[in-house]
């Protein structure tokens, strides 16, 4: 039997460099129109086109650049490898189109900042047309209530521990804040947002982690690598 020729370290390095890196699964917490933080974060983690990106909802309101944020998310979604969850602010924005009371409430919850990013004058009732149809379609049709991978599941708000994800009420998934619930019956780790951690640190309890770290306040925007825990 002929022994294969021994490769030099340089040859091994060159061969390894031709192997494409494995894609990552990265989750990003509530963005709230903070586009500068979103761009800075994706640069810091060196987000690649092949990485699976899971955004946990609440893309608008309170921060100053909702329009730019949705432009970026729509583009990422169209390129693929993006799972966009729906948050309670996203639902409220959608419902504000057809209900005056919801519209007024939405303004007090940060919707005024969203509309200002689209050039709203603060007076006109014709605000719906200021927002591109592709943004409405993203919020209404692209976003989903939950997502599962082999070892994790992702929601905006929370989940009953003893109920399958497909049977969870929307109020729980969208509005109920993170607490110290028991592990979910599916045995997977929960990754969520919604409950702003005003110390700027994710809240980790072993079987669940909340990565809403108050980006629109004095905190940060957090990205969680679900495979490495970083």
């Amino acid at each position: 039997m002929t022994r294969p020729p021994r490769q030099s370290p340089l040859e091994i390095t060159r061969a390894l460099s031709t192997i494409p890196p494995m894609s990552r699964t990265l989750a990003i917490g509530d963005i709230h129109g903070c586009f500068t933080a979103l761009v800075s974060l994706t640069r810091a983690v060196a987000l690649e086109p092949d990485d699976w990106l899971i955004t946990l909802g609440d893309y608008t309101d309170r921060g100053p650049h909702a329009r730019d944020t949705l432009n970026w998310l729509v583009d990422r979604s169209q390129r693929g490898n993006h799972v966009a969850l729906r948050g309670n602010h996203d639902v409220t924005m959608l419902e504000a189109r057809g209900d005056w009371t919801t519209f007024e409430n939405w303004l007090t919850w940060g919707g005024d900042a969203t509309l200002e990013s689209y050039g709203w004058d603060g007076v006109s009732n014709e605000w719906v047309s200021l927002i591109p149809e592709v943004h409405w379609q993203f919020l209404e049709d692209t976003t989903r209530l939950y997502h599962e991978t082999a070892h994790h599941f992702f929601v905006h708000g929370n989940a009953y521990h003893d109920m399958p994800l497909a049977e969870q009420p929307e109020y729980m998934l969208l509005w109920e804040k993170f607490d110290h619930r028991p592990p979910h019956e599916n045995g997977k780790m929960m990754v969520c947002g919604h409950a702003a951690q005003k110390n700027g640190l994710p809240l980790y309890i072993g079987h669940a982690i909340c990565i809403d770290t108050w980006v629109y306040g004095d905190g940060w925007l957090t990205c969680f690598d679900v495979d490495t825990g970083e």
Side-chain angles (χ1 to χ4, degrees):
M1 180 179 293
T2 303
R3 185 184 300 273
R6 178 174 296 176
Q7 289 181 300
S8 69
L10 179 58
E11 290 172 325
I12 294 173
T13 300
R14 285 173 175 169
L16 290 175
S17 68
T18 64
I19 301 174
M22 294 183 62
S23 63
R24 301 170 294 174
T25 300
L26 306 174
I28 291 182
D30 306 31
I31 301 169
H32 280 297
C34 295
F35 182 65
T36 300
L38 175 62
V39 172
S40 298
L41 180 62
T42 56
R43 288 174 178 168
V45 302
L47 180 67
E48 296 290 343
D50 290 339
D51 291 331
W52 274 101
L53 180 65
I54 303 170
T55 49
L56 299 183
D58 280 5
Y59 306 118
T60 64
D61 301 351
R62 295 176 173 158
H65 300 122
R67 178 172 189 152
D68 292 335
T69 298
L70 284 176
N71 277 334
W72 190 95
L73 292 167
V74 167
D75 181 70
R76 179 74 188 192
S77 180
Q78 292 174 342
R79 291 169 181 262
N81 290 23
H82 179 209
V83 176
L85 299 190
R86 184 177 303 171
N88 60 302
H89 280 264
D90 310 314
V91 169
T92 303
M93 180 174 171
L94 289 168
E95 293 177 347
R97 293 175 297 177
D99 185 87
W100 182 253
T101 299
T102 301
F103 173 72
E104 291 184 319
N105 289 335
W106 177 51
L107 292 182
T108 66
W109 297 338
D112 54 343
T114 294
L115 289 180
E116 287 170 10
S117 76
Y118 288 95
W120 186 53
D121 60 10
V123 178
S124 173
N125 293 331
E126 302 300 323
W127 62 273
V128 174
S129 60
L130 294 175
I131 299 173
E133 184 61 29
V134 68
H135 289 186
W136 289 122
Q137 290 175 348
F138 173 80
L139 294 174
E140 195 159 32
D141 300 329
T142 302
T143 59
R144 61 179 73 176
L145 291 173
Y146 66 89
H147 179 66
E148 286 187 87
T149 59
H151 303 292
H152 299 78
F153 70 93
F154 305 81
V155 296
H156 175 68
N158 209 337
Y160 289 116
H161 72 280
D162 55 354
M163 181 181 293
L165 293 178
E167 299 176 12
Q168 298 275 340
E170 286 194 17
Y171 179 86
M172 172 60 70
L173 298 174
L174 295 174
W175 292 91
E176 192 70 25
K177 292 194 174 182
F178 179 73
D179 55 19
H180 289 65
R181 292 185 181 276
H184 194 268
E185 63 180 17
N186 65 15
K188 299 178 180 182
M189 179 178 175
M190 181 174 78
V191 183
C192 69
H194 184 51
Q197 304 301 306
K198 295 189 175 181
N199 62 0
L201 300 174
L203 177 58
Y204 173 65
I205 60 171
H207 59 271
I209 185 170
C210 176
I211 60 171
D212 178 357
T213 44
W214 204 34
V215 64
Y216 64 89
D218 293 328
W220 315 88
L221 186 61
T222 291
C223 178
F224 176 54
D225 186 325
V226 304
D227 298 314
T228 67
E230 183 179 2

